[in-house]
Amino acid sequence: MTPDQIAALPYRPCVGVALANAENRLFAGQRIDTPGAWQMPQGGIDPGEDPQDAALRELLEETGVPAALVTVVARSPDWIRYDLPPHLVPRVWKGRYRGQKQLWYLVRFHGKDTDIRIDVPHPEFSEWTWLAPQALLDRIVPFKRDVYARVMADFAEHLQ
């Protein structure tokens, strides 16, 4: 795709979930399809779906954590956008989007580590861990790092 074709594409509406434990460490999963790429749960918003409902659905689908084990603490004040690297645009989402616009939710986890189950029907992650916010930033793929830095800044007062 040419740069002009990519620039004409829309952003995919999406949610992200910063799942924090009692020690203010965040869930990070290594993508099953991209070893070495770590991220927090995220995914698309279905047509007509409330973004918070989408966030809780994605959390369940990717980590097995039900809404009953979390409390929604905060939401990013604005949509946060990122562009995919140009070579990925034709391969990701069938070339329909240039990147994503995301609303992020900070949710407090009230369960036990054994309540986190990444062996879900359609697994996204091969392994997971709890990380301090800065350690998580260090593991994020470069094209998402600015998004994650903004998310950490938006939620900083809740992660002290």
Side-chain angles (χ1 to χ4, degrees):
M1 298 180 78
T2 69
D4 287 342
Q5 289 172 318
I6 292 171
L9 293 172
Y11 288 95
R12 177 180 181 245
C14 178
V15 290
V17 180
L19 179 66
N21 68 11
E23 292 79 36
N24 288 322
R25 293 188 174 273
L26 299 168
F27 173 96
Q30 180 174 228
R31 290 188 58 90
I32 204 165
D33 60 354
T34 314
W38 291 77
Q39 69 178 44
M40 294 186 281
Q42 64 177 57
I45 301 171
D46 293 335
E49 188 176 28
D50 175 78
Q52 183 171 308
D53 291 342
L56 295 173
R57 174 184 52 76
E58 287 292 336
L59 182 65
L60 178 63
E61 289 176 2
E62 295 185 11
T63 69
V65 173
L69 291 180
V70 300
T71 301
V72 176
V73 175
R75 190 193 89 184
S76 59
D78 300 304
W79 290 94
I80 303 171
R81 290 173 171 76
Y82 75 85
D83 290 328
L84 288 169
H87 72 279
L88 290 180
V89 173
R91 299 190 343 225
V92 178
W93 308 303
K94 301 177 183 172
R96 294 182 309 207
Y97 302 102
R98 66 187 290 176
Q100 296 195 93
K101 66 177 188 176
Q102 302 175 317
L103 285 176
W104 279 85
Y105 291 84
L106 174 63
V107 299
R108 183 70 60 191
F109 181 57
H110 304 295
K112 302 179 299 287
D113 285 2
T114 54
D115 293 320
I116 297 177
R117 300 294 308 266
I118 60 171
D119 59 341
V120 293
H122 302 286
E124 296 262 342
F125 305 120
S126 59
E127 61 182 280
W128 73 275
T129 191
W130 295 110
L131 293 172
Q134 184 58 51
L136 177 57
L137 277 176
D138 293 341
R139 289 200 190 184
I140 298 306
V141 294
F143 69 90
K144 291 184 181 178
R145 195 160 286 135
D146 288 345
V147 169
Y148 275 60
R150 183 156 165 210
V151 169
M152 298 307 157
D154 285 348
F155 298 151
E157 69 181 276
H158 303 289
L159 296 172
Q160 302 296 326

